[in-house]
């Protein structure tokens, strides 16, 4: 009952607002409506509502950015929830990966990411491997004996 009542009020108010904004004054006077706000408010109210919505999105984004650690902070590299492949008991990032599916979700050091993207390093076989001209070096975790 309350939902229907609220819906009826909302539709009535929307119809009255639209009539006030678009009907000529002669129609409003004929309907007995002689006292109403200036028509400029038909533009001002929706404009302010739109500005308020945009401001709320802008404020939300600004508060989120204020809550993020600075780019140079060590907290952007690794935090208490980061898991290295060694923490999971894997000998390397790609250990046990058959080539299909998703690799384990592990933290990869930024230096390794940079070398893969810009330094000729590639991910192959067991662990990360990078090939520099003339030599091959593995960055797998040390094997425990």
């Amino acid at each position: 009952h309350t939902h229907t009542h609220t819906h009826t009020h909302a539709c009535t108010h929307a119809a009255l607002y639209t009539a006030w904004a678009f009907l000529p004054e002669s129609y409003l006077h004929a309907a007995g409506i002689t006292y109403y706000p200036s028509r400029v408010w038909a533009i001002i109210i929706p404009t302010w509502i739109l500005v308020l919505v945009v401001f709320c999105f802008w404020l939300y984004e600004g508060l989120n950015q204020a809550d993020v650690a600075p780019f140079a902070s060590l907290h952007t590299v690794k935090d208490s929830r980061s898991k290295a492949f060694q923490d999971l008991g894997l000998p390397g990032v790609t250990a046990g990966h058959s080539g299909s599916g998703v690799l384990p979700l592990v933290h990869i050091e930024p230096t390794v990411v940079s070398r893969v993207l810009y330094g000729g390093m590639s991910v192959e076989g067991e662990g990360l491997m990078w090939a520099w001209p003339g030599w091959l070096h593995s960055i797998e975790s040390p094997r425990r004996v």
Side-chain angles (χ1 to χ4, degrees), residues 85 90-98 123-129 138-141 143:
F85 59 90
L90 299 173
V93 175
T94 59
H97 185 62
S98 63
V123 179
E124 297 176 357
E126 292 295 311
L128 288 171
M129 307 286 285
S138 170
I139 59 164
E140 292 180 0
S141 63
R143 306 246 187 243

Side-chain angles (χ1 to χ4, degrees), residues 53-73:
V53 168
V54 170
F55 175 76
C56 287
F57 281 113
W58 177 75
L59 180 67
Y60 178 75
E61 181 66 25
L63 290 174
N64 278 330
Q65 286 194 7
D67 193 37
V68 172
F71 188 69
S73 171

Side-chain angles (χ1 to χ4, degrees), residues 71-85:
F71 188 69
S73 171
L74 291 178
H75 294 291
T76 61
V77 178
K78 193 171 183 180
D79 65 7
S80 61
R81 290 182 289 250
S82 298
K83 293 180 184 172
F85 59 90

Side-chain angles (χ1 to χ4, degrees), residues 103-121:
L103 290 169
L105 181 60
V106 295
H107 176 76
I108 302 173
E109 296 295 327
T111 53
V112 173
V113 173
S114 182
R115 287 182 182 137
V116 167
L117 292 176
Y118 309 110
M121 185 174 172

Side-chain angles (χ1 to χ4, degrees), residues 18 41 52 65 115:
T18 304
W41 288 103
L52 179 65
Q65 286 194 7
R115 287 182 182 137

